[in-house]
Amino acid sequence: MAKRIDVHGLTAYYGAHKAIEDITMHVEPTSVTAFIGPSGCGKSTLLRTLNRMHEVTPGGRVEGKVLLDNEDLYGPEVDPVAVRRTVGMVFQRPNPFPTMSIYDNVAAGLRLNGIRYRKSELDDIVERNLRGANLWHEVKDRLNRPGSGLSGGQQQRLCIARAIAVEPEVLLMDEPCSALDPISTLAIEDLIDKLKTRYTIVIVTHNMQQAARVSDRTAFFNLPAVGRPGRLIEVDATEKIFSNPSVPDTEDYISGRFG
Amino acid sequence: MTGRLRPPEDPGGEEERLRAAMPPGEPGPTRDLPAGAPGARPPAAPSPAPPGAAPPPAPRPVLRPPRLPRWSLAALLTGSLAVGTAAGLICRLSSHLQWGLIAAAVFVAATFGLTARVEGRRRAADRLAALLVWACFAVAVLPLAALVGETVARGAPGVDGYFLTHSMNGVLSWQHGGGVYHALLGTLEQVLLASLLALPVGLLTAVYLVEYGRGRLAAVVTFFVDVMAGIPSIVAGLFVLSLWITILDLGYSGLAGSLALALLMTPIVVRSTEEMLRLVPNELREAALALGVPKWRTTLRVVLPTCAGGIATGVMLALARIAGETAPILLLVFGTNMINRDPFHGAQSSLPLYVYEQWSFGTEPAYERAWAAALVLIALVMLLNLLARALARWKGPRPGP
């Protein structure tokens, strides 16, 4: 099930621009790891290298290693499509497929991968994952309505249901609550707490309180200077980072002295 | 005077508006309204205060500026029409169009002037812009309405079951009767064949350009699509004529016409589809890719359905464009009065060619047939359009509740 991620000397580029440089860290299985840091420091870029979504951007390329339970994601014969099936992702803005109903959105990952299911089987999967995303009770009477008709928070939970329906082992979340109100944010955070018993979760957030609330480990990233690539400053248990960080920059950032 | 303190470019609208709303006790020194001016509302008098209450608050003119009453525009319009008619009669202008133009100009000028005087410069400019937009709308729509109206009025009497199910075989130009069946059949077959040739090429080219194309090849393809879009239809016709009929000696046929039509259709399909594909947000592609969906399936199942409506509209525009082409048909399909169901051998006819032929006969029955065939052509294109829209609505993004 949930897998451990080891990042070794990872450098990522957008064309000639180096976005992050020489990142080495690991992510524990069945736990929540938060990435924090100022805008443009490469948190999202690092997140996108973990399921090979970085290379979807034109000019995006990566040097270094990302090991998923000791298997290098950037190895010579690795299929990026297979990687993305194992490492799911939830984006900053809720993005349900506009042509599909709520039901079809949850089933999209399975159907689009060309796997044929019996109707009853698919019904079970859809219900299980909507329950898993704490959305079932709100939508069970309108599964055939378009997903775009839901509220922002519901759409985001629909996207989470869609992501976990393909049964990934790792779930990456790129600022999943930044477009949501506090109540929806709370719903998502409760959900993250529930999901971490089964998945390895990595979450990028700009909200320090959120990082403190939901994560077990926190990684702080920073830019040494404008135009320079982002670097990992430190990664440690969340309590330690928020109470007694070993690098003064981290404390400055967390206490709001800059950033 | 406060005016001195204002920057010189201030139009003075605010000042004027404030003045106009002031109680009459305070004279607006420069441009006070005459009491009986049309539309000049009596200045907002403070409502009588209840006895014993505090003195009424000062009126707040900025929030309730003077407005022209509703009927003033109708009155202005009537007045302008009267002026236009009078001017036309006095100057003995024979064209009623000139009367209308004079009335329109008077109406615009009077509306602007009056609004500027009563409501201020900003609202006057707003009204002027609105009038210009309406005028442009009318200029765009009137010819269309006139064209459709004229075609329906002249063509409708000639369209009946007989007309739609008979050819012109054995009918002489001065005789009544005859029909459009062979031309309708020809148009349908030629447009269908051209679509079969052009749609796969056009759609796949657009998908390549947007989803896969990088670097030089994509730039070259884009350039040649633009070049193709500029080819006049007669040149496309001559090209196919020289290749298909003169060099390969394959003879006149509906297919030869379809080849030329496909040449004309492809760039339109590519450009419109390209635009639509670019409108699909990247987030949807990323959402599908992040689910572990291969790129080709993402394109096929997520990207294309999302913009199906726009693509269908573009395809319909292309179809409508080629359904009305005459030049390549004249060169390559040749035209006939008989029914030829086989688009691969022998001459066929088509609706635009039929209209052209009948018109050139110059007899009354032929004129009637030309108008009726023109109506059939317009109705056909309209029908295709509605079909495509229905298809797009059925497959496209679902609107929220």
Side-chain angles (χ1 to χ4, degrees):
Chain A
M1 207 57 219
K3 293 196 176 182
R4 172 194 165 96
I5 304 173
D6 287 278
V7 180
H8 279 296
L10 190 91
T11 302
Y13 300 85
Y14 290 102
H17 172 68
K18 197 190 268 185
I20 47 174
E21 187 173 37
D22 196 23
I23 308 259
T24 300
M25 63 177 289
H26 74 272
V27 173
E28 297 278 358
T30 60
S31 73
V32 179
T33 303
F35 289 179
I36 61 172
S39 290
C41 69
K43 310 177 295 289
S44 295
T45 306
L46 177 62
L47 194 75
R48 290 165 64 90
T49 60
L50 301 185
N51 69 342
R52 298 194 61 168
M53 283 298 285
H54 176 64
E55 65 205 53
V56 170
T57 319
R61 68 197 159 84
V62 170
E63 289 164 4
K65 278 186 180 173
V66 178
L67 303 181
L68 189 69
D69 274 4
N70 292 323
E71 203 180 344
D72 188 4
L73 297 186
Y74 290 89
E77 283 174 3
V78 172
D79 178 9
V81 170
V83 170
R84 291 176 203 138
R85 266 175 222 182
T86 317
V87 185
M89 191 160 189
V90 176
F91 294 85
Q92 183 172 2
R93 283 203 359 221
N95 51 3
F97 297 127
T99 50
M100 298 183 193
S101 66
I102 293 170
Y103 184 101
D104 291 338
N105 260 290
V106 180
L110 305 170
R111 282 197 180 143
L112 291 178
N113 282 323
I115 313 165
R116 290 236 160 262
Y117 286 91
R118 280 206 308 277
K119 174 84 175 110
S120 60
E121 233 177 341
L122 206 56
D123 287 349
D124 284 349
I125 292 172
V126 168
E127 179 175 344
R128 193 168 68 235
N129 287 292
L130 282 173
R131 281 184 193 281
N134 290 342
L135 192 61
W136 174 252
H137 290 293
E138 289 158 66
V139 302
K140 62 183 175 194
D141 301 322
R142 44 173 172 159
L143 289 175
N144 288 319
R145 305 297 296 280
S148 47
L150 298 174
S151 76
Q154 290 172 327
Q155 287 190 20
Q156 193 61 298
R157 277 179 283 153
L158 178 62
C159 292
I160 293 175
R162 183 177 66 187
I164 59 179
V166 292
E167 307 204 334
E169 321 211 358
V170 179
L171 198 58
L172 308 177
M173 297 179 144
D174 190 355
E175 298 185 42
C177 303
S178 66
L180 306 181
D181 69 292
I183 309 241
S184 308
T185 302
L186 186 67
I188 305 265
E189 285 179 7
D190 286 347
L191 176 58
I192 292 173
D193 216 43
K194 192 169 107 183
L195 293 174
K196 78 171 181 186
T197 54
R198 298 181 57 208
Y199 303 95
T200 304
I201 294 177
V202 184
I203 178 170
V204 169
T205 177
H206 271 289
N207 181 333
M208 239 79 72
Q209 284 81 16
Q210 182 172 58
R213 278 194 302 263
V214 301
S215 72
D216 303 302
R217 282 160 54 84
T218 298
F220 172 62
F221 297 82
N222 203 357
L223 288 165
V226 175
R228 301 278 306 284
R231 302 189 76 109
L232 174 66
I233 304 301
E234 68 171 311
V235 50
D236 215 326
T238 298
E239 285 151 39
K240 177 134 193 317
I241 292 274
F242 279 88
S243 58
N244 185 23
S246 35
V247 183
D249 276 0
T250 314
E251 193 169 353
D252 286 354
Y253 182 76
I254 287 168
S255 59
R257 245 172 294 202
F258 82 95
Chain B
M1 165 137 190
T2 52
R4 250 188 323 183
L5 296 175
R6 291 170 186 277
E9 64 269 24
D10 186 287
E14 286 297 317
E15 188 187 6
E16 195 177 325
R17 208 146 11 114
L18 290 178
R19 289 249 170 69
M22 274 177 193
E26 298 185 41
T30 45
R31 285 182 273 175
D32 213 5
L33 278 170
R41 210 191 255 176
S47 53
R60 293 183 302 175
V62 181
L63 295 183
R64 304 190 59 189
R67 301 289 302 269
L68 284 170
R70 283 232 176 117
W71 50 263
S72 61
L73 284 184
L76 274 176
L77 188 62
T78 319
S80 310
L81 286 175
V83 171
T85 313
L89 286 174
I90 292 166
C91 303
R92 298 172 184 240
L93 299 172
S94 55
S95 164
H96 289 247
L97 200 64
Q98 287 167 325
W99 298 20
L101 285 177
I102 292 171
V106 170
F107 179 61
V108 170
T111 311
F112 183 75
L114 188 67
T115 314
R117 206 170 160 92
V118 179
E119 299 186 355
R121 271 295 256 288
R122 186 175 60 81
R123 295 198 65 90
D126 176 49
R127 222 164 240 161
L128 184 68
L131 282 176
L132 286 179
V133 169
W134 277 106
C136 293
F137 171 72
V139 166
V141 165
L142 274 180
L144 177 72
L147 186 145
V148 172
E150 184 85 355
T151 312
V152 169
R154 297 212 190 194
V159 180
D160 52 24
Y162 185 89
F163 185 73
L164 290 175
T165 52
H166 288 75
S167 74
M168 286 298 291
N169 198 7
V171 182
L172 299 177
S173 63
W174 47 267
Q175 287 174 322
H176 283 276
V180 79
Y181 178 71
H182 61 302
L184 186 59
L185 192 76
T187 290
L188 285 175
E189 285 182 351
Q190 287 149 27
V191 167
L192 185 72
L193 272 178
S195 308
L196 286 180
L197 291 168
L199 286 186
V201 177
L203 293 177
L204 289 175
T205 306
V207 167
Y208 167 75
L209 285 176
V210 177
E211 304 292 331
Y212 294 91
R214 303 264 177 270
R216 284 191 75 82
L217 183 58
V220 168
V221 171
T222 307
F223 174 73
F224 279 106
V225 168
D226 282 348
V227 171
M228 256 179 101
I231 294 178
S233 58
I234 188 78
V235 175
L238 286 171
F239 165 69
V240 177
L241 180 75
S242 59
L243 183 74
W244 189 261
I245 296 177
T246 313
I247 297 178
L248 298 176
D249 198 21
L250 290 163
Y252 299 108
S253 69
L255 179 63
S258 301
L259 289 175
L261 294 182
L263 278 179
L264 297 171
M265 190 177 174
T266 307
I268 310 177
V269 173
V270 173
R271 289 325 293 252
S272 61
T273 308
E274 208 187 329
E275 293 305 316
M276 289 303 137
L277 287 173
R278 287 194 201 284
L279 286 181
V280 175
N282 240 338
E283 289 143 39
L284 291 183
R285 295 185 179 91
E286 293 198 338
L289 291 177
L291 288 172
V293 180
K295 179 147 188 167
W296 66 271
R297 221 193 278 264
T298 301
T299 305
L300 206 62
R301 301 281 297 273
V302 175
V303 178
L304 284 173
T306 303
C307 60
I311 293 178
T313 308
V315 168
M316 285 324 304
L317 286 177
L319 275 183
R321 162 100 157 64
I322 62 160
E325 274 301 339
T326 320
I329 302 296
L330 194 60
L331 291 175
L332 300 166
V333 188
F334 201 72
T336 171
N337 285 339
M338 287 175 282
I339 297 169
N340 176 10
R341 288 200 177 80
D342 181 2
F344 301 101
H345 301 98
Q348 278 193 311
S349 188
S350 89
L351 284 171
L353 183 58
Y354 179 92
V355 173
Y356 172 73
E357 282 170 354
Q358 295 299 321
W359 190 259
S360 53
F361 287 143
T363 63
E364 202 50 45
Y367 278 155
E368 278 169 22
R369 283 192 289 267
W371 278 110
L375 180 60
V376 171
L377 180 58
I378 291 179
L380 180 71
V381 169
M382 189 77 102
L383 194 71
L384 288 175
N385 217 325
L386 290 177
L387 268 177
R389 275 169 194 278
L391 193 75
R393 181 164 296 183
W394 177 50
K395 274 286 174 196
R398 295 141 166 248

